[in-house]
Amino acid sequence: MERDEMLRLYHQMALIRRLEEAAASLYQEGKIGGFLHLYIGQEAVGCGVVSARRPEDRVITAYRDHGIAIAAGMEARTVLAELLGKATGCSKGKGGSMHMADVSLNFWGGHAIVGAHLPLAAGLALADKYNKTTAATICLFGDGATNIGYFHEAMNLSVVWELPVLWVCENNQYGMGTSIERASAVPEIRQKAHGYGMPNARVDGMDIVQVRKATEAALKHVRTNGPFLLEAVTYRYRGHSMGDPERYRSHEEVTKWEKNDPIGIFHKYLIKNKHATEAELEQSANQAASEIQEAVRFAEESPDPAPEVLFSDVYVKEVG
Amino acid sequence: MPIITMREAISQALWEEMERDERVFILGEEVGVWGGTYAVTRGFYDHFGPERVRDTPIAEGTIVGAANGAAMAGLRPIAEMMTINFAFLAMDQIVNQAAKIHSMFGGQMTIPVVIRAVGGGGRQLGATHSHTPDVIFAHFPGLKVVSPGTPYDAKGLLKAAIRGDDPVLFIENATLYQAKGEVPIEDYIVPIGVSNIQRAGKDVTIVTYSKMLQVSLQAAELLAKEGIEAEVVDLRSLRPLDMQPVIRSFKKTNRAVIAEEGWRSYGIGAEVAVRVYEAALDYVDAPIRRVAQKEVPLPYNRHLEQLALPQVQDVVEAVKGVL
């Protein structure tokens, strides 16, 4: 990675962290409705994976999507406006936290039914293969999604049809409150690829440098040889969603992982290898904080969708 | 005008649209090498090749899901459910993905997908393979649900579905595949969401669609011999539902029977009857009657199965009940 790229990613991770903290506050103030799933702790995965793509590569993810949206190039103000249900949000206030997308950024959502977007990803990749382009589709999902039928159907189909899709499992070790040991027949998600004869890798998802490197290698494989499963082992510091009593894990466990913080790890890496100075990183982090402040202001000042749009976009148009 | 079967009409629509638009392709179980389990796509694989006529694993959720994804990316997939009973396994992709994605992301993505599904009872396939669950799918805004009763409508509606930008569930009744009718050689479409008077009459309005259209037309012939002229309205599309021809007819006849193959409870009969009452209460001369399937899982035994399915005589008796 070039130095500029590393600094850009450091800033992006800090931006996501501040964004999610702001979202948590706005939720507690009652300004965000519905469910809110925070990406805090998993930043190295989204930023590392998505930064390895070419512009023509598609990205699609599950409902823990704010960080992926930022990594795909969405502005924080657009994410926050959607969280507040505003007309200026990426989905015009009709999607909310779990349904962020920006097709112009090749970011295809934000999908809230566990596993349902894996077949969609297969279809996106099928379209690129059909049109004989060199684009790949990157599909992110959690460890919980690997226990549902959709995962197995989509793995199988992607191999049978040799689809250019990179399956990325963000293994944060819990499907809601059920640990992977209690829900999955095998402890490592990558093992599930073996049943489909699919090449695979497991990477430390707290280390963005490793994630980026593994993704580059995986994408190279995907473009020439078809599907690949990359498992990134990570951890979410906050609950599954905002209403999570967290009875399923100990404080000690969370603290242990917090010492392994992805931003902290990258910080140390950049300093140790003299890619950046403390002052530069501090400035980057401060800038992220003020960007989020400004984005929150934008979102709060944005108008609600007009009542007239209630019936718009249900159908495209009539034919004939 | 050539007279062809429903099967040929559907096959022609698919073939002509695939010739017209490179983005159109078919995926589903046994659609390719086999030629379609109902022989609708026979010859397609050899002509269009394996990229455009794609045999899939038996995985309905992912067949529709991959079709949805390909549609998001700009292709125009036609996903085939070998029978509509298997569409229950794809329920999430049909009603929760295809029907929602355009609206939920503020109009950014479109899902120009057609899901063809074969339904209906009467072939001794037992309870799990004999559903007429059309109304379930018609519940969901964002999806269009179409079910033709004639070869002409089948071809025209399917072409409209393929050319349109919205997701369409296209329901074929297996017992209609051999039904014959006039179909022009030249290109045409039948717009989705327009009900149609199939037979003019002045005494009673029969509202129906799909297989029960043919049943109702037969009933109307029997009634005509007794001097009763039934007007038969074919809904053709359950969503959007075009009530105007129904209301116009009802204001003329003041009596109505609604005939559907699915179960009566929460059915199309209930929906249409209430809409008639809402729009034309002052014109009601008799309570509207419904003809539908008996409320049992459809049995295998031929006699029991036919006992459960709505028949010509049921329609005749219902009409006499409202006169």
Side-chain angles (χ1 to χ4, degrees):
Chain A
M1 260 192 287
E2 299 290 319
R3 179 179 181 272
D4 283 356
E5 175 68 351
M6 286 191 276
L7 294 187
R8 186 184 74 84
L9 289 177
Y10 181 84
H11 181 75
Q12 191 171 74
M13 290 169 77
L15 193 71
I16 294 170
R17 184 67 61 92
R18 298 290 95 78
L19 168 77
E20 296 293 58
E21 287 164 356
S25 304
L26 290 163
Y27 192 86
Q28 274 146 2
E29 289 169 41
K31 290 176 179 166
I32 295 174
F35 295 140
L36 182 70
H37 310 90
L38 301 177
Y39 200 59
I40 295 176
Q42 300 181 216
E43 295 92 341
V45 184
C47 297
V49 166
V50 176
S51 67
R53 73 166 172 164
R54 296 179 187 161
E56 67 267 29
D57 295 338
R58 304 169 193 273
V59 173
I60 185 166
T61 189
Y63 50 83
R64 200 177 299 284
D65 59 351
H66 317 157
I68 307 298
I70 296 290
M74 196 182 289
E75 289 187 57
R77 51 161 49 190
T78 315
V79 175
L80 279 159
E82 188 61 36
L83 286 173
L84 267 56
K86 298 301 181 72
T88 51
C90 58
S91 300
K92 299 181 188 167
K94 287 191 175 178
S97 165
M98 303 192 285
H99 307 113
M100 307 260 172
D102 187 337
V103 169
S104 70
L105 298 170
N106 235 340
F107 173 49
W108 295 84
H111 296 269
I113 300 293
V114 171
H117 69 292
L118 277 73
L120 296 178
L124 292 169
L126 172 62
D128 288 323
K129 188 181 165 84
Y130 189 95
N131 290 327
K132 300 184 169 59
T133 75
T134 56
T137 293
I138 300 170
C139 177
L140 300 111
F141 49 89
D143 47 291
T146 69
N147 300 318
I148 201 166
Y150 272 139
F151 168 83
H152 298 278
E153 292 186 10
M155 290 292 113
N156 183 61
L157 191 76
S158 69
V159 173
V160 171
W161 285 358
E162 297 173 350
L163 299 176
V165 57
L166 173 58
W167 304 111
V168 179
C169 179
E170 296 193 66
N171 179 2
N172 68 15
Q173 307 174 56
Y174 290 90
M176 288 193 71
T178 307
S179 68
I180 190 160
E181 293 80 15
R182 295 171 62 213
S184 175
V186 290
E188 295 188 8
I189 299 302
R190 67 176 297 179
Q191 292 174 275
K192 297 186 183 187
H194 295 155
Y196 303 101
M198 191 188 298
N200 56 82
R202 194 170 201 244
V203 67
D204 178 0
M206 305 309 262
D207 183 344
I208 189 169
V209 178
Q210 297 302 317
V211 173
R212 168 75 177 240
K213 203 181 289 176
T215 308
E216 283 171 356
L219 277 173
K220 199 173 164 197
H221 173 92
V222 166
R223 282 187 223 286
T224 45
N225 299 308
F228 189 100
L229 176 70
L230 177 63
E231 176 185 7
V233 182
T234 182
Y235 199 80
R236 66 169 155 71
Y237 297 161
R238 301 297 183 98
H240 164 75
S241 61
M242 291 300 286
D244 179 354
E246 297 193 56
R247 288 197 195 95
Y248 51 84
R249 63 184 186 184
S250 65
H251 183 66
E252 291 72 32
E253 180 185 307
V254 179
T255 312
K256 190 189 98 192
W257 279 92
E258 277 174 343
K259 286 184 187 144
N260 202 24
D261 182 76
I263 299 176
I265 289 174
F266 196 29
H267 188 113
K268 277 187 208 136
Y269 173 86
L270 293 172
I271 297 295
K272 192 180 157 205
N273 291 285
K274 300 196 169 29
H275 296 304
T277 63
E278 287 287 356
E280 279 175 315
L281 297 184
E282 193 185 332
Q283 195 199 350
S284 176
N286 289 342
Q287 200 191 329
S290 60
E291 259 180 80
I292 294 300
Q293 266 183 353
E294 167 53 29
V296 170
R297 193 175 312 122
F298 169 83
E300 297 210 86
E301 287 169 2
S302 285
D304 279 320
E308 299 86 76
V309 305
L310 179 61
F311 290 100
S312 57
D313 296 327
V314 178
Y315 293 100
V316 181
K317 63 181 188 302
E318 301 305 313
V319 173
Chain B
M1 213 183 293
I3 293 175
I4 63 171
T5 64
M6 189 86 138
R7 185 197 322 272
E8 288 166 327
I10 292 165
S11 185
Q12 283 181 8
L14 295 171
W15 187 283
E16 289 169 20
E17 290 306 295
M18 286 181 75
E19 290 283 15
R20 189 186 60 79
D21 187 346
E22 283 277 328
R23 297 171 301 171
V24 179
F25 72 100
I26 295 173
L27 71 168
E29 295 152 4
E30 310 301 350
V31 296
V33 175
W34 188 300
T37 45
Y38 290 93
V40 171
T41 52
R42 185 173 291 165
F44 280 54
Y45 185 84
D46 291 338
H47 183 74
F48 294 105
E51 295 297 319
R52 297 187 70 195
V53 187
R54 305 188 76 97
D55 283 319
T56 63
I58 303 168
E60 285 80 9
T62 286
I63 294 169
V64 180
N68 287 342
M72 284 158 67
L75 298 184
R76 307 187 84 82
I78 301 165
E80 182 174 315
M81 298 283 96
M82 188 185 288
T83 87
I84 199 164
N85 311 283
F86 310 160
F88 297 148
L89 289 146
M91 199 73 183
D92 173 64
Q93 285 295 336
I94 297 170
V95 308
N96 221 6
Q97 312 301 331
K100 304 289 194 296
I101 282 174
H102 182 61
S103 163
M104 195 167 63
F105 294 108
Q108 292 185 68
M109 304 176 202
T110 57
I111 311 283
V113 70
V114 177
I115 301 153
R116 284 182 53 233
V118 187
R123 292 169 297 141
Q124 286 194 270
L125 295 174
T128 60
H129 277 55
S130 301
H131 287 279
T132 310
D134 315 354
V135 69
I136 294 174
F137 297 95
H139 186 63
F140 295 90
L143 188 67
K144 292 181 175 177
V145 179
V146 169
S147 190
T150 68
Y152 178 89
D153 284 342
K155 186 169 179 182
L157 285 167
L158 185 50
K159 286 194 166 204
I162 294 168
R163 292 181 199 181
D165 290 326
D166 293 308
V168 179
L169 178 65
F170 189 88
I171 304 173
E172 300 159 22
N173 190 300
T175 62
L176 283 184
Y177 277 134
Q178 295 299 342
K180 288 184 176 171
E182 288 189 331
V183 173
I185 288 168
E186 60 271 19
D187 184 51
Y188 69 97
I189 66 157
V190 173
I192 292 171
V194 183
S195 300
N196 181 39
I197 308 281
Q198 272 286 350
R199 183 190 196 281
K202 59 178 175 34
D203 299 322
V204 61
T205 303
I206 303 174
V207 185
T208 187
Y209 73 101
S210 187
K211 167 76 176 298
M212 289 307 288
L213 168 67
Q214 297 301 336
V215 171
S216 299
L217 289 171
Q218 288 170 39
E221 290 306 311
L222 293 179
L223 289 162
K225 287 179 187 154
E226 299 181 43
I228 301 161
E229 290 302 330
E231 183 147 289
V232 180
V233 185
D234 181 4
L235 296 174
R236 300 195 288 197
S237 155
L238 302 180
R239 183 182 277 274
L241 178 61
D242 174 23
M243 283 298 293
Q244 282 192 0
V246 178
I247 302 299
R248 263 201 309 275
S249 176
F250 187 78
K251 284 184 174 172
K252 183 172 69 180
T253 64
N254 313 111
R255 296 159 201 281
V257 166
I258 303 148
E260 64 189 300
E261 189 182 296
W263 291 298
R264 182 192 312 265
S265 299
Y266 313 100
I268 287 141
E271 181 66 35
V272 169
V274 161
R275 293 205 196 195
V276 170
Y277 289 138
E278 284 169 351
L281 193 61
D282 293 344
Y283 294 83
V284 177
D285 279 357
I288 294 169
R289 289 212 179 190
R290 291 179 280 167
V291 175
Q293 190 175 139
K294 306 288 188 302
E295 308 257 339
V296 294
L298 215 55
Y300 163 72
N301 176 277
R302 187 165 177 275
H303 303 294
L304 287 177
E305 184 182 33
Q306 290 303 319
L307 205 59
L309 288 170
Q311 307 290 340
V312 174
Q313 204 51 41
D314 297 322
V315 179
V316 169
E317 280 164 25
V319 165
K320 289 180 178 173
V322 300
L323 289 176

